[in-house]
Each structure stands twice: as C-alpha cells, then as structure tokens.
Amino acid sequence: MSGPILAEGIYVKRSVSELGRGNTLREVVLETLWYPHRISNGLVELYPVMDNLQSVLNIRELIPAELFEKEYSVKEDSREIYLRLKATLA
C-alpha cells in the first residue's frame, strides 16, 4: 500500500468535543487549518495556519500517515492560499 499523496491545498482537521454539563451539554466542532509540507518515513509534516490565512506558525506537527488520512481533509478552493503560503516559506 502506498502512502497518501499531498494535495496542493490547506487541510482541515475537525475535532468534536463536549461543552457544558447536564441540560447545557452541547457537542462542539473545532476546525483547525494545516499546511502540509512533506511526507517522509510514514510521517506527514504539517504546520498550523493562522486564522487570517496569511501565515503559518513555526510549530511542526508530525502525524502518522494513517492518522492523517483518517482525520484530515482538503479544504475546498484552498489551492491559492496554499501556493501563497508556499511562496512565503521558500
């Protein structure tokens, strides 16, 4: 089995958690945006994207490729953002 192929786009990770107690208990979905840098040795290297979509944080995350395929998806119409961020990181 070959590993994932990184699309030229920003990836979204959706996390579900609970907020409140009893009658006020609600499920909350948190979305974080990630810039994929590369895949190496079965690990995907990602950097968090700032909310303004203008820059990435210099915090590297290494995620196993299998987990990446399950938890991350490409944000629609994000190729331009990806290419702009790529140019600033070069």
Side-chain angles (χ1 to χ4, degrees), residues 28-62:
V28 178
V29 178
L30 175 67
E31 290 186 349
T32 53
L33 303 174
W34 297 87
Y35 174 87
H37 185 60
R38 67 176 151 224
I39 300 175
S40 179
N41 298 322
L43 297 172
V44 179
E45 184 177 340
L46 301 165
Y47 292 88
V49 176
M50 298 291 290
D51 289 341
N52 65 7
L53 302 176
Q54 299 298 314
S55 61
V56 298
L57 293 173
N58 195 20
I59 302 170
R60 182 177 72 158
E61 278 291 320
L62 293 173

Side-chain angles (χ1 to χ4, degrees), residues 3 14 18 24 26-28 30 33 35-36 38 41-42 45 47 51 53 60 66 68-71 76-77 79:
R14 290 177 180 82
E18 293 179 343
T24 64
R26 304 246 185 310
E27 219 175 61
V28 178
L30 175 67
L33 303 174
Y35 174 87
R38 67 176 151 224
N41 298 322
E45 184 177 340
Y47 292 88
D51 289 341
L53 302 176
R60 182 177 72 158
E66 301 82 30
F68 176 77
E69 287 180 315
K70 290 178 187 174
E71 295 186 357
E76 278 188 43
D77 301 324
R79 187 171 188 270

